[in-house]
Amino acid sequence: MEPFTVLDAAAAPLDMSNVDTGLIIPARFTRKPRRSGYQDYLFHDLRFRKDGSEAPGFVLNREGFRDARILVADRNFGAGSSREQAVWSLLDYGIRCVIAADFGEILEANALKCGLLPVRLDAESCLHLRGLLHAEPGARIRVDLAAQRVTGPDGVAYGFDIPPFRKTCLLGGLDDIDITRQHDAAFLAFETAYRQRYDWLFDAE
Amino acid sequence: MAETMYDKIWNAHAIVERDDGQTLLYVPRHIVQEGSRFAFEFLQDRGLTVRRPRQMLASPQMSISTRRRDIEEITNPDQRLTVELLIENTRKFGVTHYGLDDPRQGIVHVVAPELGFVQPGTVLIIGDSHTCTAGAMGTLAIGVGATDVLHVLATQSIWQRKMRSLRITVDGILPEGVTAKDVILTIVGRIGANGGKGHVFEYAGSAIRAMSVEERLTVCNMSIEAGARSGMIAPDDTTFDYLAGRQFAPRGASWDRALRYWRSLPSDEAARFDREIHIDAATLAPMVTWGTSPEDVVPVDGRIPDPRAEPDAERRAHMEKTLGYMGLAPGTPVTDIAVDQVFIGSCTNARIEDLRAASAMIRGRRAVVPAFVVPGSTQVKHMAEAEGLDVIFRKAGFGWGEASCSMCVGMNGDTVGAGKRCVATISRSAAGRQGRGSRTHLVSPAAAAAAALTGRITDIRKMGA
């Protein structure tokens, strides 16, 4: 995982609530090989017309927003299917932080594990930030993970919460398997007792 | 201290707790499907191996054709590759694979209870959000993404934060024509699409107790649609009767020991839940979704809501946009909505009781719009054929396919056309879910069959013989 420390980058406003993972990446692209990159599938059916040309109205197709590395969304970003490809498509496009009023639960967990920072701000602050971005396409937002602070283009700063463990992992680029391996003795002792206590679960072996 | 069922299962699987509240849970049961290819890819990239392959099952479900049980039928090379990779990876790591040539193949959420692979009081992990389905067995069943699947493959454990508990008590007797699907659609509508976030649901009450295991599976299946990672129902004699004799169910003395554990699982009388919701079963009606979120739900005898009457600005904007996408006008009676096609299938509603309920609506009539029935598993398909349900469907002009997720997720080429309106027994009506531009209305199996016969959304309570 690539460490996340401070991100000072252009941000794009996404004026939609309940953007589900199917909109972030339609199911038909979720079988593509991981190594070839998922950037082209991000918001595919919003970004592109049926003939494959760009949909001019979509925010990421507009000047100033194309190179956004931060998205400011609305309520319930990333609800629906558990597809982690949604997070990959955001990351591969270059987005490392999504600011929203709240997130679909699986997406939020996946994001934290893959190095995409989900920042929860209240809906009013999200609306305010989107307004600033609309007024000045290309405007930057600064996200400081260590300080847990987002600073908008107008200099107004907002604090945000993140589970301390996830923060440490993101700052250091550590993933879960690295952590779990530190507990292997506890795992093996637990498993031995579990297999004795619930032996019927292992009858078929 | 009094414990909920969730507490009990959690405690029985907690290996270590970190000071940030994350707990490493033991994973006795894990299922993979073709979508798990990425986790296998990452596993091998890191030089790791599957830790406990004998605690796993695999079956292809999404990418496969409904026409024939043959990998050659999969014309899309990306989809076909995923099915081939599942065969290759399960062989390489020694995981039991019920492939296209196996009568136990099916949608993993249908197969898991059907084979008795998922049992009360365990933890089940699948890389698929509808894993919550299996909570109906009294299991902590959690859907995860590829990174977590990788973690489970490599370590047979998963890091989780303890959720809050929400008990949904449905008491009373369901009126005629009101099904388990209508119960859960009502619940999702009441809680909201993200209202259950951070919670594990426990469904309780006399209406839930009166349900069969298959009906309970339908209820738990849509817990995720209300934002909950998991939903569960206390195991009881209905559960035990269902499990007895299934392939992975314990036998003999093992059964007796298992049963003692299972009977200890229900939440203690004095257990406190963080939230409680009560629903009176007698007040429920058949439900239909009108929008792109499962919370957009109305009784079938109601009308399409008017955004102008919605006080919340955000909700109003969602409604306006949704009605535009769905091509619906406020105030339209739901039963005036003409449909283009019907799909009966998915992990929500494609078990044998669902197919029986749908076929029972037909009574010699014919479908007036294209309708497609896809059993949830090959076992369900064989059972339905043994009962002659396939003949009833075919005679009425319904298509009859091989077990697959099919048109619920549209990965295998079974899709709904742009602008077309599909009445479906699935769990999600998101924009583009069934195909780009598709419009989906979620209903129960009987209501879906009725819509096929009348060409419009239909109140099955008023459907004559």
Side-chain angles (χ1 to χ4, degrees), chain B residues 32-69:
Chain B
V32 290
Q33 29 85 3
E34 63 268 52
S36 312
R37 62 170 285 192
F38 299 107
F40 281 108
E41 187 181 323
F42 302 157
L43 189 78
Q44 291 167 88
D45 284 352
R46 291 182 61 156
L48 299 169
T49 189
V50 176
R51 189 155 204 179
R52 298 287 179 255
R54 305 296 300 273
Q55 289 167 224
M56 293 177 62
L57 271 192
S59 193
Q61 57 173 14
M62 287 181 269
S63 304
I64 54 179
S65 169
T66 39
R67 288 182 300 275
R68 262 190 326 125
R69 292 282 83 153

Side-chain angles (χ1 to χ4, degrees), chain B residues 181 217-218 221-222 345-351 354 425-427:
Chain B
K181 180 66 160 285
L217 289 163
T218 297
N221 172 269
M222 290 186 68
S346 88
C347 57
T348 316
N349 276 133
R351 285 167 285 270
D354 299 316
T425 64
I426 65 179
S427 58

Side-chain angles (χ1 to χ4, degrees), chain B residues 284-295:
Chain B
L284 301 187
M287 302 299 277
V288 181
T289 62
W290 55 267
T292 52
S293 167
E295 71 183 17

Side-chain angles (χ1 to χ4, degrees), chain A residues 138-161:
Chain A
R140 298 169 83 85
I141 288 177
R142 182 182 162 88
V143 182
D144 184 336
L145 177 57
Q148 295 180 224
R149 189 172 59 230
V150 166
T151 312
D154 57 354
V156 175
Y158 310 83
F160 64 89
D161 290 329

Side-chain angles (χ1 to χ4, degrees), chain A residues 26-189:
Chain A
R28 62 186 184 279
F29 299 118
T30 56
R31 292 294 187 254
K32 298 290 182 185
R34 178 72 186 93
R35 293 184 188 94
S36 57
Y38 269 65
Q39 60 282 351
D40 293 344
Y41 316 129
L42 177 67
F43 297 124
H44 185 278
D45 292 354
L46 298 171
R47 250 168 90 197
F48 303 105
R49 292 189 286 216
K50 269 214 157 139
D51 61 8
S53 63
E54 281 189 359
F58 187 66
V59 63
L60 292 178
N61 293 331
R62 286 163 33 206
E63 282 322 306
F65 299 128
R66 278 181 193 279
D67 300 323
R69 303 204 63 201
I70 298 168
L71 269 188
V72 184
D74 194 357
R75 198 175 58 86
N76 201 16
F77 181 86
S81 149
S82 63
R83 67 189 67 153
E84 196 166 305
Q85 291 92 333
V87 173
W88 304 343
S89 64
L90 287 160
L91 283 170
D92 290 358
Y93 185 91
I95 289 167
R96 290 227 51 203
C97 174
V98 178
I99 300 170
D102 59 341
F103 292 87
E105 193 159 340
I106 300 182
L107 178 112
E108 187 170 19
N110 287 337
L112 287 165
K113 286 173 184 178
C114 294
L116 175 78
L117 177 64
V119 169
R120 258 176 283 166
L121 297 184
D122 61 84
E124 209 168 297
S125 304
C126 290
L127 182 67
H128 176 70
L129 284 171
R130 292 200 305 275
L132 294 171
L133 297 171
H134 280 298
E136 193 195 336
R140 298 169 83 85
I141 288 177
R142 182 182 162 88
V143 182
D144 184 336
L145 177 57
Q148 295 180 224
R149 189 172 59 230
V150 166
T151 312
D154 57 354
V156 175
Y158 310 83
F160 64 89
D161 290 329
I162 180 172
F165 176 75
R166 287 292 159 209
K167 179 176 170 180
T168 310
C169 289
L170 276 170
L171 287 169
L174 283 178
D175 78 7
D176 275 349
I177 293 178
D178 300 325
I179 308 289
T180 303
R181 286 188 156 164
Q182 301 166 1
H183 298 285
D184 211 44
F187 172 89
L188 290 169

